[in-house]
Amino acid sequence: MITLTDDEVALLRAILTRLRSIKVRDIDKALVILSKGERQP
């Protein structure tokens, strides 16, 4: 078993919270925007 400092726990919690808040729809929109941008000369 590993032990984490309070700072490490806070960082891990923040990362997981951010990942959970990202919606699949938002990712799809971003990919569409990026793919359109690459096609333009």
Side-chain angles (χ1 to χ4, degrees), residues 2 6 14-15 17 19 22 24-25 29-31 39:
I2 61 171
D6 290 344
I15 292 171
T17 302
L19 288 175
I22 296 173
V24 174
R25 190 176 301 149
K29 283 181 187 176
L31 289 174
R39 288 184 196 142

Side-chain angles (χ1 to χ4, degrees), residues 5 13 15-16 23 26 28 30-33 36 38-39:
T5 65
R13 185 172 182 272
I15 292 171
L16 292 174
K23 302 288 188 287
D26 294 339
D28 288 343
L31 289 174
V32 167
I33 291 169
K36 284 182 180 176
E38 290 177 358
R39 288 184 196 142

